[in-house]
Amino acid sequence: MSDQPKMSAATKELLKKVRMMVPPMLEKFHKGQLGRVAVIGGSENYTGAPYFSAMASARLGADLSHVICTPPAANVIKTYSPNLMVHPIMREIGEVPASHEPASELASPIIAMLSNLHTVVIGPGLGRDKLMQATVAAVIKAAREHNTPLVLDADALWLIQNQPDLIHGYKECVLTPNVVEFGRLAKAVGIGEDEMPDTGEAGCKKVAAALGGVLILRKGPVDWISDGSISVKCEQEGGRKRSGGQGDTLTGSIGTLLAYRRLYLEGLWGG
Ligand SMILES: NC(=O)C1=CN([C@@H]2O[C@H](COP(=O)(O)OP(=O)(O)OC[C@H]3O[C@@H](n4cnc5c(N)ncnc54)[C@H](O)[C@@H]3O)[C@@H](O)[C@H]2O)[C@@H](O)CC1
Ligand SMILES: Nc1ncnc2c1ncn2[C@@H]1O[C@H](COP(=O)(O)OP(=O)(O)OP(=O)(O)O)[C@@H](O)[C@H]1O
């Protein structure tokens, strides 16, 4: 008997394509060429989420994994793993003088890093602090100008539900809402529960289309992925444990895969 999971022909074909994007480890490559991923998140209440995300990006194979967070979170995250490069650039409102909310100043060194990053993940453990949200809004605008692939999850989805125009029509953007986040996003783009006949494909496709074709990975009993025109279902059965951090791990993994996709499209190897 085989231990291989059962897969449809469509899934096998899809995985074959994904396999083509996984870079070979050639002698000529230097450090950083096979993936530079940054996770923006990590605040007073949450230090685990950005760690799970960045470690997943590293363990899947990114050469360099960064975490961009607040100073107190940075001190904690640095003790978790020496693999991660941790930048204490973000600030919550209480960490700057009152009356001074320099979101654009705080975003500036992060924006300066963009040309050196293949993918940016935003949201794990970010929190909903006004200054943190404004800072990542400025980074998202700049990332669009750089055409940097983005993965937005957790509290970055809170930002998107309030300002959907930030990502509307941006094809290099992946949103990974859980059930609750998906419901909020749907409402934000004017799709009510009564217009959402199922919990799967149709709703996912509708919200992705309403956001101008961004890619949505809708997490739940079945994960559905859609860009508003094409939809794919994850057929593999997951575990039954619902512990916190599984979505964070997914974001870092997608971050590395998007970096690989970029390197493949740029023709880093082959030819
Ligand atoms: N170790 C850590 O630091 C962790 C931090 N986390 C962070 O915590 C912050 C808040 O995230 P939340 O996910 O709590 O916020 P949400 O606003 O998404 O969730 C709010 C509530 O919805 C509930 N919920 C989640 N999935 C549900 C489902 N399928 N059906 C019904 N109810 C459901 C949750 O239990 C929670 O009480 C984010 O910044 C996130 O990244 C989480 O990622 C978990 C791990
Ligand atoms: N009801 C469910 N049945 C089966 N699998 C589920 C269910 N809900 C979630 N999952 C699986 O768990 C993964 C993580 O989803 P979850 O809803 O926990 O995300 P999250 O809340 O964003 O995670 P995090 O705790 O990292 O913030 C999904 O990709 C999905 O495969």
Side-chain angles (χ1 to χ4, degrees):
M1 232 173 72
S2 159
D3 286 340
Q4 295 290 318
K6 283 201 187 105
M7 270 183 220
S8 67
T11 297
K12 278 186 188 156
E13 192 52 35
L14 196 64
L15 288 179
K16 220 194 265 178
K17 288 185 178 159
V18 173
R19 180 68 189 87
M20 284 166 66
M21 299 187 321
V22 177
M25 287 194 279
L26 303 181
E27 208 173 338
K28 67 175 182 177
F29 288 152
H30 62 74
K31 176 179 65 182
Q33 273 188 296
L34 297 190
R36 298 184 293 272
V37 178
V39 176
I40 307 180
S43 52
E44 182 167 10
N45 290 337
Y46 311 117
T47 57
Y51 165 79
F52 290 138
S53 178
M55 275 314 283
S57 87
R59 287 196 170 144
L60 191 59
D63 275 356
L64 298 170
S65 298
H66 302 260
V67 177
I68 300 172
C69 57
T70 64
N75 289 338
V76 175
I77 295 167
K78 281 171 202 245
T79 67
Y80 294 159
S81 167
N83 278 36
L84 306 178
M85 284 155 287
V86 188
H87 310 267
I89 298 175
M90 299 290 286
R91 295 289 183 280
E92 295 187 81
I93 280 190
E95 295 170 334
V96 291
S99 80
H100 187 54
E101 291 183 17
S104 57
E105 278 169 43
L106 291 169
S108 166
I110 305 172
I111 291 168
M113 292 169 74
L114 289 177
S115 56
N116 205 26
L117 293 170
H118 293 118
T119 326
V120 178
V121 177
I122 307 180
L126 181 73
R128 293 172 192 170
D129 174 272
K130 223 171 84 186
L131 182 55
M132 297 283 273
Q133 294 270 314
T135 305
V136 294
V139 173
I140 290 171
K141 283 183 196 155
R144 280 190 83 153
E145 282 164 22
H146 281 78
N147 212 32
T148 306
L150 295 174
V151 184
L152 305 184
D153 187 40
D155 301 313
L157 297 176
W158 181 261
L159 173 68
I160 298 311
Q161 102 186 21
N162 294 322
Q163 299 181 53
D165 283 351
L166 278 173
I167 48 107
H168 188 279
Y170 186 42
K171 307 280 187 195
E172 294 296 309
C173 184
V174 178
L175 311 182
T176 57
N178 64 21
V179 170
V180 177
E181 290 155 347
F182 183 83
R184 287 196 292 245
L185 269 181
K187 205 167 156 201
V189 294
I191 301 173
E193 268 174 45
D194 51 330
E195 291 176 78
M196 207 79 77
D198 71 346
T199 54
E201 179 184 8
C204 186
K205 201 168 176 178
K206 217 167 180 175
V207 176
L211 286 169
V214 300
L215 195 87
I216 298 190
L217 190 164
R218 177 185 191 174
K219 296 175 286 193
V222 172
D223 289 357
W224 275 100
I225 305 164
S226 181
D227 65 356
S229 57
I230 299 170
S231 302
V232 175
K233 172 171 132 178
C234 175
E235 293 173 343
Q236 303 312 303
E237 195 181 334
R240 294 202 174 163
K241 182 81 179 146
R242 303 275 170 264
S243 54
Q246 295 183 42
D248 303 321
T249 302
L250 180 68
T251 59
S253 307
I254 297 173
T256 294
L257 290 172
L258 285 180
Y260 285 174
R261 166 178 164 269
R262 190 169 164 177
L263 301 172
Y264 172 75
L265 293 175
E266 286 171 1
L268 183 67
W269 65 91

